[in-house]
């Protein structure tokens, strides 16, 4: 994602020009561009915000504001994504951002896309402890769990969650997928998950493979 070239929309988000973001999204929709493409451009803008924060150009206030602009944009795009989706009623799964991590913009995009594709999602929210995942698997009997994490310490939480699922004797009953900014195939292997996806579409593809 980091290598994605910024479009005008991505640049406007990176520069925290909220009004321009709204205007450019309306233009893109009027031009018939797909909501998913627009989300991709916004995500690239968030990557740029992350880079500016890392370089010390932006502080926490800017990080927070970028999140608010992104969320506002998603609130506008979500109805368009929902109207575009099929409704084949494909099965249920659990999604959550793991313990110690409060980033949820990406997780919520994944959930929106899953719901558009006919899946029912039990959302554990953010900072979800291993016990919350175990409890939800027990209560719901789902066969697929998705964990999101954006900070590197989330890897340990993912690993602890997989271990807790194993200890509860439930590991054989569920497939586990992970995703979120810094995750990778290496992280997947480290935490003991079954699948790593780089974006929301890959989460839907994996859910189709497991649940449909
Ligand atoms: C916005 C933001 C915030 C907002 C979050 C708002 C919210 N409601 O989510 C706020 C201000 C709260 C925040 C807080 C912090 N943040 Co922050 N944040 C970001 C930022 C700029 C964007 C994240 C984002 O939303 N990206 C856009 C979404 C769409 O992308 P995504 O989450 O990756 O999701 C996509 C895919 O990954 C995938 N996906 C996501 N989940 C899943 C799950 C599955 C199963 C699958 C298959 C796919 C999948 O699908 C999505 C759509 O394609 C990033 C920079 C970056 N490059 O990521 C830093 C970043 C993640 N934050 C960072 C830091 C350091 C922090 C803080 C520690 C700052 C502080 N000093 O307090 C705190 C952490 C608090 C905590 N305990 O969690 C660092 C992490 C560095 C590290 N190595 O750990 C980053 C990378 C910035 C940086 N470059 O330094 N942050």
């Amino acid at each position: 994602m980091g290598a994605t070239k910024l479009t005008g929309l991505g640049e406007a988000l990176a520069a925290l020009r909220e009004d321009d973001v709204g205007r450019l999204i309306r233009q893109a929709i009027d031009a018939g561009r797909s909501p998913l493409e627009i989300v991709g451009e916004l995500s690239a803008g968030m990557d740029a915000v992350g880079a500016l924060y890392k370089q010390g150009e932006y502080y926490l206030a800017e990080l927070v504001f970028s999140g608010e602009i992104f969320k506002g944009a998603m609130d506008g795009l979500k109805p368009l994504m929902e109207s575009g989706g099929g409704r084949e009623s494909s099965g249920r799964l659990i999604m959550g951002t793991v313990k110690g991590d409060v980033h949820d913009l990406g997780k919520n995009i994944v959930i929106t896309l899953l719901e558009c594709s006919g899946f029912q999602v039990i959302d554990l929210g953010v900072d979800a402890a291993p016990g919350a995942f175990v409890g939800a698997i027990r209560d719901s009997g789902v066969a697929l769990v998705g964990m999101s994490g954006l900070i590197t310490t989330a890897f340990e939480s993912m690993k602890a969650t997989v271990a807790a699922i194993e200890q509860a004797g439930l590991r054989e009953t569920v497939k586990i997928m992970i995703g979120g900014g810094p995750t990778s195939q290496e992280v997947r292997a480290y935490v003991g998950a079954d699948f790593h996806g780089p974006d929301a579409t890959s989460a839907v593809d994996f859910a189709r493979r497991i649940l449909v």
Side-chain angles (χ1 to χ4, degrees):
M1 245 170 38
T4 316
K5 197 176 171 306
L6 280 189
T7 57
L9 177 55
E11 253 173 37
L13 177 54
L16 307 176
R17 297 196 312 265
E18 189 172 21
D19 292 348
D20 284 347
V21 170
R23 185 177 52 78
L24 289 167
I25 289 178
R26 280 190 299 277
Q27 266 177 19
I29 292 167
D30 289 346
R33 309 259 317 282
S34 89
L36 255 190
E37 232 182 289
I38 299 172
V39 172
E41 291 181 25
L42 290 168
S43 297
M46 293 302 266
D47 276 347
V49 170
L52 288 164
Y53 175 77
K54 205 172 168 184
Q55 290 156 20
E57 302 260 336
Y58 277 180
Y59 296 96
L60 193 57
E62 282 86 5
L63 218 55
V64 172
F65 188 39
S66 72
E68 282 166 9
I69 300 177
F70 188 92
K71 189 171 178 306
M74 277 311 294
D75 288 347
L77 288 169
K78 206 175 156 191
L80 299 175
M81 289 164 80
E82 277 167 355
S83 63
R87 285 263 157 223
E88 66 242 37
S89 181
S90 313
R92 283 201 306 166
L93 69 148
I94 292 166
M95 280 288 305
T97 298
V98 294
K99 188 166 173 51
D101 194 332
V102 302
H103 295 86
D104 67 355
L105 300 173
K107 169 185 71 68
N108 292 343
I109 294 176
V110 173
I111 291 177
T112 300
L113 212 65
L114 284 163
E115 288 176 347
C116 291
S117 309
F119 295 97
Q120 275 180 282
V121 182
I122 300 164
D123 183 4
L124 301 182
V126 299
D127 192 22
F133 281 92
V134 170
I137 297 168
R138 264 213 193 94
D139 292 348
S140 64
V142 298
L144 179 59
V145 173
M147 297 192 285
S148 185
L150 268 284
I151 47 181
T152 39
T153 48
F155 304 163
E156 291 307 322
S157 297
M158 287 177 172
K159 198 175 165 71
T161 306
V162 174
I165 293 170
E166 228 157 58
Q167 273 155 27
L170 296 165
R171 185 66 183 93
E172 300 302 312
T173 70
V174 284
K175 293 287 181 205
I176 301 175
M177 62 175 175
I178 65 160
T183 57
S184 61
Q185 285 302 342
E186 288 71 35
V187 175
R188 181 204 62 72
Y190 174 71
V191 307
D194 301 298
F195 175 79
H196 164 258
D199 52 29
T201 317
S202 63
V204 173
D205 289 343
F206 190 64
R208 285 212 175 98
R209 250 161 62 199
I210 301 304
L211 300 177
V212 181

